[in-house]
Amino acid sequence: MLKYQSQAVAKPYFIAAIGLFVAQILFGLVMGLQYVIGDFLFPEIPFNIARMVHTNLLIIWLLFGFMGASYFLVPEESERELHSTKLALILFWVFLIASALTIVGYLAVPYATLAEITGNDLLPTMGREFLEQPTITKIGIVIVILGFIYNIGMTILSGRKTVVSVVLLTGLVGLAVFFLFAFYNPSNLVLDKYFWWWVIHLWVEGVWELILGAILAFVLIKVTGVDREIIEKWLYVIIAMVLITGVIGTGHHYYYIGTPGYWLWIGSIFSALEPIPFFMMMLFAFTMVNRRRKDHPNQAAVLWALGTAVTAFLGAGVWGFMHTLAPVNYYTHGTQLTAAHGHLAFYGAYVLIVLTIISYAMPLIRNQGEAAPAKAQKLEKLSFWLMTISMFAITLLLTGAGIMQIMTQRMAEDPMSFMAVQDSLTSFYWLRAVAGVVFLVGLFVYIASFFAKDDKTSMATK
């Protein structure tokens, strides 16, 4: 049962997040097949459009997940109802409709026409990777995020202040502030790339990690029963390391783009330290679970939480470190090794943390008690392993393809052409597509878990 009725406003955010997650994976599969069947669904869905939709949907559904998580955990941390449930619902529909119209726009009209009819000439912001959204959509995102932060901020300021809620609010404010650089579009290409990273890097390797840490700490407090003070001390140290390494670690994106040479060693040193907070997060999660004072019935949520810590360390930490030093990055940048790192890091750090909070919160929101029925938890655990194993398979296949690409295209004395190299990687891409199908099956199993109920016999024996 919910402690505060306004926590239920998280439910539509979680449902929207899962729906958009499915769409993101479908477009990922389309792209995967286009690597091996060049004209698959062409001209209806060209590769560049599928890629844009795939990455934009990732950002949108994770934001829905973060917002739902905030609406769920902040009332409980603040020991009061949400400042305005009505505002949360209004912003939900505004964000959902704007997101849907933007995706339809990508698919229905040429990108240049979309730019023209949405007024990009008045304030040019379109055309940059991951920030392709029409200017009017970006303005809408700012309005939604400001309203969201106002709602969360007023709830926190008028209630109990905890380390978890303050860290979460700091991350959300940072998310809003750094998104403003999406509106800065200088004609100088070096400046453009320099400040573009202030959105991309400082989101995913900066403020988003604060949100990740706060959500993980909240769930671990609930499922382990370990003293809040102990978990908060861990959170302080992890967040400090995130800010020290992540902010200056932006420098690993400044190699060879026209910035001063000192970024080669500054970026190398600080980005090499970025795995440390992820390692500490993994140590933190396992230590808290081992020191637990109770066996929480929601074991699926515990699995998602531990999976978050381990996979984030491997994806963001280990795979990031592989190609973060400047002399290595000289050969690896933009290869499939980058894609391998991106897939596992996003899955481990952000996909899994959103699924963790959904797994913990939904049984309470749906009046199922502290945990979903046993059958539902079995399906959840099965979906975790299907998705995680297939994501590791995708990562390893992309790593293999990346190494081949580096050896034959970047380091060879007589380098092969780009398309010749791509042809030589076909077997990797086919296997990646198969792994993608398994991932989609895992996601459908996850959705099926919400409809699973224990049979009467097993319920009677409890």
Coordinates of all heavy atoms in Angstrom, one line a residue, residues 303-342:
L303 N 17.3 -8.0 -7.6 CA 18.0 -8.5 -8.8 C 18.3 -7.3 -9.8 O 19.4 -7.1 -10.3 CB 17.3 -9.6 -9.5 CG 18.0 -10.2 -10.8 CD1 19.3 -10.8 -10.5 CD2 17.1 -11.2 -11.5
W304 N 17.3 -6.6 -10.1 CA 17.4 -5.4 -11.0 C 18.5 -4.4 -10.4 O 19.3 -3.9 -11.1 CB 16.1 -4.7 -11.2 CG 15.1 -5.4 -12.0 CD1 13.9 -5.8 -11.5 CD2 15.1 -5.7 -13.4 NE1 13.2 -6.4 -12.5 CE2 13.9 -6.4 -13.7 CE3 16.0 -5.5 -14.4 CZ2 13.6 -6.8 -14.9 CZ3 15.7 -5.9 -15.7 CH2 14.5 -6.6 -15.9
A305 N 18.4 -4.2 -9.1 CA 19.3 -3.2 -8.4 C 20.8 -3.7 -8.5 O 21.7 -3.0 -8.9 CB 18.9 -3.0 -7.0
L306 N 21.0 -5.0 -8.2 CA 22.4 -5.5 -8.3 C 22.8 -5.6 -9.8 O 24.0 -5.3 -10.1 CB 22.4 -6.9 -7.7 CG 22.2 -7.0 -6.2 CD1 22.2 -8.5 -5.7 CD2 23.3 -6.3 -5.4
G307 N 21.9 -5.9 -10.7 CA 22.2 -5.9 -12.1 C 22.6 -4.5 -12.6 O 23.5 -4.4 -13.4
T308 N 22.0 -3.5 -12.1 CA 22.3 -2.1 -12.4 C 23.8 -1.8 -12.1 O 24.5 -1.3 -12.9 CB 21.4 -1.1 -11.7 OG1 20.1 -1.3 -12.0 CG2 21.8 0.3 -12.0
A309 N 24.1 -2.1 -10.8 CA 25.5 -1.8 -10.4 C 26.6 -2.5 -11.2 O 27.6 -1.9 -11.6 CB 25.6 -2.1 -8.9
V310 N 26.3 -3.8 -11.4 CA 27.4 -4.6 -12.1 C 27.5 -4.2 -13.6 O 28.6 -4.0 -14.1 CB 27.0 -6.1 -12.0 CG1 28.0 -7.0 -12.9 CG2 27.1 -6.6 -10.5
T311 N 26.3 -4.1 -14.2 CA 26.3 -3.8 -15.7 C 26.8 -2.4 -16.0 O 27.5 -2.2 -17.0 CB 25.0 -4.1 -16.3 OG1 24.5 -5.3 -15.8 CG2 25.0 -4.2 -17.8
A312 N 26.4 -1.5 -15.1 CA 26.9 -0.1 -15.2 C 28.4 0.0 -15.1 O 29.1 0.7 -15.9 CB 26.2 0.8 -14.2
F313 N 29.0 -0.8 -14.2 CA 30.4 -0.8 -14.0 C 31.1 -1.3 -15.2 O 32.1 -0.8 -15.8 CB 30.8 -1.6 -12.8 CG 32.3 -1.9 -12.7 CD1 33.2 -0.9 -12.5 CD2 32.8 -3.2 -12.8 CE1 34.6 -1.1 -12.5 CE2 34.1 -3.5 -12.8 CZ 35.1 -2.4 -12.6
L314 N 30.6 -2.4 -15.8 CA 31.2 -3.1 -16.9 C 31.0 -2.2 -18.2 O 31.9 -2.0 -19.0 CB 30.6 -4.5 -17.2 CG 30.9 -5.5 -16.1 CD1 30.1 -6.8 -16.3 CD2 32.4 -5.8 -16.1
G315 N 29.8 -1.7 -18.4 CA 29.5 -0.9 -19.6 C 30.1 0.4 -19.6 O 30.8 0.8 -20.6
A316 N 29.8 1.2 -18.5 CA 30.3 2.6 -18.5 C 31.8 2.6 -18.1 O 32.6 3.4 -18.6 CB 29.5 3.4 -17.5
G317 N 32.1 1.7 -17.1 CA 33.5 1.7 -16.6 C 34.5 1.0 -17.4 O 35.4 1.6 -18.0
V318 N 34.3 -0.3 -17.5 CA 35.4 -1.1 -18.2 C 35.4 -0.8 -19.7 O 36.4 -0.6 -20.3 CB 35.1 -2.6 -17.9 CG1 36.1 -3.5 -18.7 CG2 35.2 -2.9 -16.5
W319 N 34.2 -0.9 -20.4 CA 34.2 -0.7 -21.8 C 34.5 0.8 -22.1 O 35.0 1.1 -23.2 CB 32.8 -1.1 -22.4 CG 32.9 -2.4 -23.2 CD1 33.1 -2.5 -24.5 CD2 32.9 -3.7 -22.6 NE1 33.1 -3.9 -24.8 CE2 33.0 -4.6 -23.7 CE3 32.7 -4.2 -21.3 CZ2 33.0 -6.0 -23.5 CZ3 32.7 -5.6 -21.1 CH2 32.9 -6.5 -22.2
G320 N 34.2 1.7 -21.2 CA 34.6 3.1 -21.5 C 36.1 3.3 -21.4 O 36.7 4.0 -22.2
F321 N 36.7 2.6 -20.4 CA 38.1 2.7 -20.2 C 38.9 2.2 -21.3 O 40.0 2.7 -21.7 CB 38.6 2.0 -18.9 CG 40.0 2.1 -18.6 CD1 40.5 3.3 -18.0 CD2 40.9 1.0 -18.8 CE1 41.9 3.4 -17.8 CE2 42.2 1.1 -18.6 CZ 42.7 2.3 -18.0
M322 N 38.3 1.1 -22.0 CA 39.1 0.5 -23.1 C 39.6 1.5 -24.2 O 40.6 1.3 -24.8 CB 38.1 -0.5 -23.8 CG 37.9 -1.8 -23.2 SD 36.9 -2.8 -24.2 CE 36.6 -4.2 -23.1
H323 N 38.8 2.5 -24.4 CA 39.2 3.5 -25.5 C 39.1 4.9 -25.1 O 38.9 5.8 -25.9 CB 38.3 3.2 -26.7 CG 36.8 3.4 -26.5 ND1 36.0 4.1 -27.3 CD2 36.0 3.0 -25.5 CE1 34.8 4.1 -26.9 NE2 34.8 3.5 -25.7
T324 N 39.4 5.2 -23.8 CA 39.3 6.5 -23.3 C 40.7 7.3 -23.3 O 40.7 8.5 -23.4 CB 38.8 6.6 -21.9 OG1 38.3 7.9 -21.6 CG2 39.8 6.2 -20.8
L325 N 41.8 6.6 -23.3 CA 43.1 7.2 -23.4 C 43.3 7.8 -24.8 O 43.0 7.1 -25.8 CB 44.2 6.3 -23.0 CG 44.1 5.6 -21.6 CD1 45.2 4.6 -21.4 CD2 44.1 6.7 -20.5
A326 N 43.9 9.0 -24.9 CA 44.0 9.7 -26.2 C 44.7 8.9 -27.2 O 44.2 8.8 -28.4 CB 44.7 11.0 -25.9
P327 N 45.9 8.2 -26.9 CA 46.6 7.5 -28.0 C 45.7 6.3 -28.5 O 45.8 6.0 -29.7 CB 47.8 7.0 -27.3 CG 48.0 7.9 -26.1 CD 46.6 8.2 -25.7
V328 N 44.9 5.7 -27.7 CA 44.0 4.6 -28.1 C 42.8 5.2 -28.9 O 42.5 4.7 -29.9 CB 43.5 3.8 -26.9 CG1 42.6 2.7 -27.3 CG2 44.7 3.2 -26.1
N329 N 42.3 6.2 -28.3 CA 41.1 6.8 -28.9 C 41.3 7.3 -30.3 O 40.4 7.4 -31.2 CB 40.5 8.0 -28.0 CG 39.1 8.4 -28.4 OD1 38.9 9.3 -29.2 ND2 38.2 7.7 -27.8
Y330 N 42.6 7.7 -30.6 CA 43.0 8.1 -32.0 C 42.6 7.1 -33.0 O 42.2 7.5 -34.1 CB 44.5 8.3 -32.0 CG 45.0 8.8 -33.3 CD1 45.0 10.2 -33.6 CD2 45.7 8.0 -34.2 CE1 45.4 10.6 -34.8 CE2 46.2 8.4 -35.4 CZ 46.1 9.8 -35.7 OH 46.5 10.2 -36.9
Y331 N 42.6 5.8 -32.7 CA 42.3 4.7 -33.6 C 40.9 4.2 -33.5 O 40.3 3.7 -34.4 CB 43.3 3.6 -33.4 CG 44.7 3.9 -33.8 CD1 45.6 4.2 -32.8 CD2 45.1 4.0 -35.1 CE1 46.9 4.5 -33.1 CE2 46.4 4.3 -35.5 CZ 47.3 4.6 -34.5 OH 48.6 4.9 -34.8
T332 N 40.3 4.3 -32.3 CA 39.0 3.7 -32.0 C 37.8 4.6 -32.1 O 36.7 4.1 -32.2 CB 39.0 3.1 -30.6 OG1 39.1 4.2 -29.6 CG2 40.2 2.1 -30.3
H333 N 38.0 5.9 -32.1 CA 36.9 6.8 -32.1 C 35.9 6.6 -33.3 O 36.3 6.5 -34.4 CB 37.3 8.2 -32.1 CG 36.2 9.2 -31.8 ND1 35.8 9.5 -30.5 CD2 35.4 9.9 -32.6 CE1 34.8 10.3 -30.5 NE2 34.5 10.6 -31.8
G334 N 34.6 6.4 -32.9 CA 33.6 6.3 -34.0 C 33.5 4.9 -34.6 O 32.7 4.7 -35.5
T335 N 34.3 4.0 -34.1 CA 34.2 2.6 -34.6 C 33.1 1.9 -33.8 O 32.4 2.4 -32.9 CB 35.5 1.8 -34.4 OG1 35.7 1.7 -33.0 CG2 36.6 2.6 -35.0
Q336 N 32.9 0.6 -34.1 CA 31.8 -0.2 -33.5 C 32.2 -0.4 -32.0 O 31.3 -0.8 -31.2 CB 31.6 -1.5 -34.2 CG 31.0 -1.4 -35.6 CD 29.6 -0.8 -35.6 OE1 29.0 -0.7 -34.5 NE2 29.1 -0.5 -36.7
L337 N 33.5 -0.2 -31.6 CA 33.8 -0.3 -30.2 C 33.1 0.8 -29.4 O 32.7 0.6 -28.3 CB 35.4 -0.1 -30.1 CG 35.9 -0.5 -28.7 CD1 35.6 -1.9 -28.3 CD2 37.4 -0.3 -28.7
T338 N 32.9 2.0 -30.0 CA 32.2 3.0 -29.4 C 30.7 2.6 -29.2 O 30.1 2.8 -28.1 CB 32.2 4.3 -30.2 OG1 33.6 4.7 -30.5 CG2 31.6 5.5 -29.5
A339 N 30.2 2.0 -30.2 CA 28.8 1.5 -30.1 C 28.6 0.4 -29.0 O 27.6 0.4 -28.3 CB 28.3 0.9 -31.5
A340 N 29.6 -0.4 -28.9 CA 29.6 -1.5 -27.9 C 29.5 -0.8 -26.5 O 28.7 -1.2 -25.6 CB 30.8 -2.4 -28.0
H341 N 30.4 0.2 -26.3 CA 30.4 0.9 -25.0 C 29.1 1.6 -24.7 O 28.5 1.5 -23.7 CB 31.6 1.9 -25.0 CG 31.5 3.0 -24.0 ND1 31.4 2.8 -22.7 CD2 31.5 4.4 -24.2 CE1 31.3 3.9 -22.0 NE2 31.4 4.9 -22.9
G342 N 28.6 2.3 -25.8 CA 27.3 3.0 -25.6 C 26.2 2.1 -25.2 O 25.4 2.4 -24.4

